[in-house]
Amino acid sequence: MLAMPITMGKEVLAVMMAVNKVNEPEFTKQDEEVFSKYLSFVSFVLRQHHMAYLYNIESRKVQVLLWSANKVFEELTDIERQFHKALYTIKAYLNCERYSIGLLDMTKEKEFYDEWPIKLGEVQPYKGPKTPDGREIIFYKIIDYILHGKEEIKVIQTPPADHWSLVSGLPTYVAEHGFICNMMNAPADEYFTFQKGPVDETGWIIQNVLSLPIVNKKEDIVGVVTFYNRKDAKPFDEYDEQITEILTQFLGWSLLNTDTYEKMNKLENRRDIAYEMLMYQTKATTGEIESILKYKEKLNTNIIEDCEEKQLIQILVLTRWMYTVRKGYRSVTYHNWRHGFNVGQTMFTLLMTGKLKKYYTDLEAFAMIAAAFCHDIDHRGTNNLYQMKSASPLAKLHGSSILERHHLEFSKTLLHDESLNIFQNLNKRQYETVIHLFEVAIIATDLALYFKKRTMFQKIIDTCEKMETEEEVIKYISIDPTKKEVIMAMMMTGCDLSAITKPWEIQSQVALMVANEFWEQGDLERTILQQQPIPMMDREKGDELPKLQVGFIDFVCTFVYKEFSRFHKEITPMWDGLQNNRVEWKSRADEYDEKMKVIEEEKKKQEANTAPKAEEDLGSTGDDKKSKTCQIL
Amino acid sequence: MLAMPITMGKEVLAVMMAVNKVNEPEFTKQDEEVFSKYLSFVSFVLRQHHMAYLYNIESRKVQVLLWSANKVFEELTDIERQFHKALYTIKAYLNCERYSIGLLDMTKEKEFYDEWPIKLGEVQPYKGPKTPDGREIIFYKIIDYILHGKEEIKVIQTPPADHWSLVSGLPTYVAEHGFICNMMNAPADEYFTFQKGPVDETGWIIQNVLSLPIVNKKEDIVGVVTFYNRKDAKPFDEYDEQITEILTQFLGWSLLNTDTYEKMNKLENRRDIAYEMLMYQTKATTGEIESILKYKEKLNTNIIEDCEEKQLIQILVLTRWMYTVRKGYRSVTYHNWRHGFNVGQTMFTLLMTGKLKKYYTDLEAFAMIAAAFCHDIDHRGTNNLYQMKSASPLAKLHGSSILERHHLEFSKTLLHDESLNIFQNLNKRQYETVIHLFEVAIIATDLALYFKKRTMFQKIIDTCEKMETEEEVIKYISIDPTKKEVIMAMMMTGCDLSAITKPWEIQSQVALMVANEFWEQGDLERTILQQQPIPMMDREKGDELPKLQVGFIDFVCTFVYKEFSRFHKEITPMWDGLQNNRVEWKSRADEYDEKMKVIEEEKKKQEANTAPKAEEDLGSTGDDKKSKTCQIL
């Protein structure tokens, strides 16, 4: 016998043999040479064939991966749907008669009331097989893909232990140990007893079985996939193992998606629950509304006319909305309902007394007043920068105009409740207009955007000033939604800052409230963020308030009220009030400067004397500082 | 010249040529034959080589897909991190000197304040290239992977338009049209002007460029990947295109993950914001606490001792918690604070008057009373089945004991606020004990679990009854946490149902409140779910209340109070009260039966007469029904 191996790399692909030399007792040296020469040609053909086989394997892998990826990324879905979509899509590349997926129960812990009977010794604890992470092995569902004969998919809910696919114990074994099991001749296996005869009415019989665990990135076994009977009747080989392993690995990894799906659903539900509870707690109660409107008495009068009843309901909704907005404001030092109410009231005044109403429809004016009432709802007494620095959920949600976007969102949320929706009778187009105005008006109260709109506002007024008739001005503005928005946005600023135009007794008090809220934020920055607050928020620098107020008037407020007064002379009283307050603040700022100059000179004089003595004096200056907030008034 | 093609399938791999026959003017027929025979051998070798090349391509595809999948599924992350992780991991399979990814700005719409200048005509609208879905093409970041020489990664934030990778205009072109562009000889290209000389200090020069768009499942172009200079200096071929296309396709699909990541973050933030607002609205205010405790007066007395101050703070926390729990209850018909308070109070009575305290530590007893007060917090006046049927967010969140799990979660949420945490002074182990008791106690109020614990409870009492000394009983129960839990769980049921043991005047009133809440749910089922309510919840069957009460006493309540009275004779008054109420309900039920019998007979008699007349009479019976709720009392 003359035998030689055909190899590819280190792998032996085949052995070629020549048996029984004709007419000679053995093969000669020459035979060997000829044999070897022919061998190299034969082996060449064989290698070519093998390479083509390997190429086919690899391209099936690519297809399996691509198609399952395509399905897995289609949308977020639950584990069953995801596995099903992926496994169904790749059926053409699997080259087997059947395959099935068994899904494992992922519950690790029992409820306390199910543990009681075990703990009390009334029920035996579970002693059956468990997954490596300690779960009882329970297949709650089997999905069976039948590719031989008529294609079919069977779903078996909570399959019995003697179901043909489970009875051998192989899926349980795979789930217990996490091994890949390739049973070349399943019926002959001694360890696992597979069903010998046909498993169902199709007459189909198990021959070869390849079973793999699906493992997620946390290394938990979540299911078992089993492939039955290669289509060419051969046993599954190492390349089949490779393809199916790649597949199950990918499916296992992709469970990140199904976990996310579940987590997301839970989050959505939790958010919905919290919002519903929030609305329940915030919404004005019947009792609260009754404390304002004596509507029950009215309703009890049996003789109310149709139009009266409709009106009454409108008043009820408006009252409930207003009371709820009020409850939505927190009792912080400055940005509380008092401020919210003032801004709404000032918007009304600007429109009516200030005669700005003429550019807007009734609906627009209503929306503007409503937005003004809502504009600082649920303010927390700290500004946008503080939200960012403290990394509050609000700052994580909104990239800019953080609080303003929150005021807007909450205002809109209130309107989602029909019993609070003051715009419920509007048609879709009107409702969208109102919501758009809410958006522009409330976001516009972010002072960071103030400088963006300044020149645009000024240009409009410049143009109007040159016009000869009022009609011309009204037309110029009314026909252009953008101009109306710019003016409205500046009106919001005018309302928001209007305390600065109030009589001195009021302005001085309000300024202190604003300052106190700033100082409280400064305290938080020092204690919680461990940062040094800016002078405006630094309680220790409270003496500088008059100077800060003068600066604020000069750089922010003056423009607003001066331009509005130029635009509509009816608004001049606000401009006058502002100028008067500037005089007051300026005199206090000068007074403080004077005082500081004296102290500075005193200090210099003393520094010329001994050093220790100077320190003592500085201490007493510090004491003065602490009680300065009262001096402002 | 003699020329012949070498083919593989339909593809021409090469052409073999013999040029200028030696000593003859042309090739002979015989030459052709020899040539053809040699050709088949040469082509065999060539095909083998080509197949190996194709195999290599396919296995690189598998690797690229597997490695990027491995990274993409590692965790949820943002687009930059995900792309970076995937692209870095597969660098070995890319076979090029450099590659880079340009990330596109995904913002579609501008803020209103940025649109104003355009709408007012002050700024020219954008006229540059846009993506197919209408975004301005802005690369906000470029990540540059350098594989030649010393490996390096460069990140260019908001790259200038003349950055070497952008200056040619190719990435913008790819982003605009979504084409794959393979530039065989980039420097020679006329349409795109690539940088001719070295792009940086390494002296590296662009030769070949392959650029592809990354497209998500919504068909939006989110970025552009560009590969430079194949390592063997050849241009990129169709197989390179295949590999990179598979890669970019996969990356594009995997954007589902980064979208989810962002969505999830937003959801989490929204939930956090809603919870914080809910806590603000629910938590007892200083004013509300002051209305109960006059603590400010006390605190103003400057001479309070240390221990007194500590006590005062404890009382403050307890009061704030209690008031907040009260506010957490809704003003529904039955499951309101009145019920919550009663259950807490009854728990106290069972422990003290009922002498059950002896099995529990002070801390356990405190936890049990606190849990009893909280046990129905935020009840909506509808039961678990209604949550399921109406698919409320609560039902989507909790699989079983829906409302009970909600009461528990909200009770625990309240404790997360330090100023409400009545257990703040406990150590970790103690705190965990308390939370566990809360869980068992509150979930145990789900009547669906009542039958699970009945026999366990009875067995404990049977055993205790046979014991001779009290000490023996105390020891038997106290050393076993499970027995204590079972008894506590039954105590919770005893408290929850205790209204049924109250003097008849009270019980009859409370029963009506329960019934009214049921009927309200029945109304909702009829109007909202459009289902027929069960008799217990059917307002039309209100007359059957006494019968239902008798049934409820017999099948649920009797066991509880009879067994507790057998266990501790001090609890007998509850058992007596129950029996008395049964007599009352029974007599009313019998009365009703009697009345119905008479009506039934009357009806039969009338049916013997004319049919139309009978109908009229039935109508008047219906009227009687409507006003029956008062008859019960």
Side-chain angles (χ1 to χ4, degrees), chain A residues 488-506:
Chain A
M488 174 184 76
M490 197 54 91
M491 284 168 78
M492 287 299 291
T493 306
C495 296
D496 204 10
L497 307 179
S498 63
I500 203 121
T501 67
K502 296 274 154 75
W504 172 246
E505 313 82 65
I506 296 170

Side-chain angles (χ1 to χ4, degrees), chain B residues 318 321 343-344 347-348 351 357 360-375 408 411 415 422-423 426 429-442 488 491-492:
Chain B
L318 189 63
W321 172 79
V343 171
M347 178 56 82
F348 181 77
L351 286 165
K357 167 72 180 68
Y360 299 96
T361 65
D362 287 354
L363 181 63
E364 285 164 346
F366 180 36
M368 285 156 72
I369 295 169
F373 279 123
C374 290
H375 87 287
L408 172 65
S411 309
L415 296 176
I422 50 175
F423 303 117
L426 302 183
R429 199 187 45 75
Q430 289 173 319
Y431 194 82
E432 281 164 2
T433 307
V434 166
I435 293 298
H436 177 70
L437 290 181
F438 255 68
E439 282 167 0
V440 174
I442 295 182
M488 175 183 77
M491 285 167 77
M492 287 298 292

Side-chain angles (χ1 to χ4, degrees), chain B residues 185-345:
Chain B
N185 184 359
D189 198 83
E190 285 174 1
Y191 192 83
F192 302 107
T193 328
F194 289 93
Q195 185 156 329
K196 294 283 185 318
V199 304
D200 53 27
E201 65 290 349
T202 63
W204 180 80
I205 289 166
I206 302 172
Q207 284 161 327
N208 309 306
V209 183
L210 176 58
S211 192
L212 304 93
I214 303 180
V215 181
N216 67 15
K217 282 248 176 183
K218 280 173 270 164
E219 306 275 312
D220 299 326
I221 298 173
V222 299
V224 172
V225 199
T226 310
F227 303 88
Y228 298 96
N229 300 7
R230 227 170 88 154
K231 276 197 170 154
D232 57 7
K234 288 184 193 164
F236 293 104
D237 62 20
E238 60 174 306
Y239 304 110
D240 294 313
E241 287 176 28
Q242 281 177 18
I243 291 180
T244 53
E245 195 181 348
I246 274 191
L247 169 68
T248 53
Q249 197 172 36
F250 182 81
L251 288 182
W253 292 345
S254 82
L255 287 176
L256 179 73
N257 285 6
T258 67
D259 288 351
T260 308
Y261 175 77
E262 270 177 37
K263 212 172 149 191
M264 194 120 115
N265 281 340
K266 288 222 159 139
L267 268 176
E268 271 183 3
N269 292 328
R270 284 227 158 76
R271 183 208 50 188
D272 290 348
I273 292 165
Y275 269 123
E276 195 271 345
M277 287 167 77
L278 172 63
M279 283 307 288
Y280 183 85
Q281 293 286 351
T282 314
K283 204 167 137 180
T285 64
T286 321
E288 287 166 336
I289 296 171
E290 265 182 278
S291 73
I292 297 175
L293 284 182
K294 305 285 174 229
Y295 72 95
K296 280 218 170 156
E297 293 165 21
K298 275 212 171 183
L299 279 174
N300 281 338
T301 328
N302 280 324
I303 18 151
I304 34 166
E305 290 187 25
D306 235 30
C307 102
E308 236 184 12
E309 196 182 332
K310 208 183 146 194
Q311 239 180 3
L312 201 63
I313 290 169
Q314 286 175 345
I315 293 169
L316 244 171
V317 175
L318 189 63
T319 312
R320 193 182 288 117
W321 172 79
M322 195 78 167
Y323 203 105
T324 306
V325 170
R326 173 182 152 173
K327 283 177 81 179
Y329 276 85
R330 302 197 178 190
S331 32
V332 290
T333 307
Y334 176 67
H335 288 99
N336 48 41
W337 169 238
R338 190 193 155 120
H339 169 67
F341 180 82
N342 277 334
V343 171
Q345 166 60 27

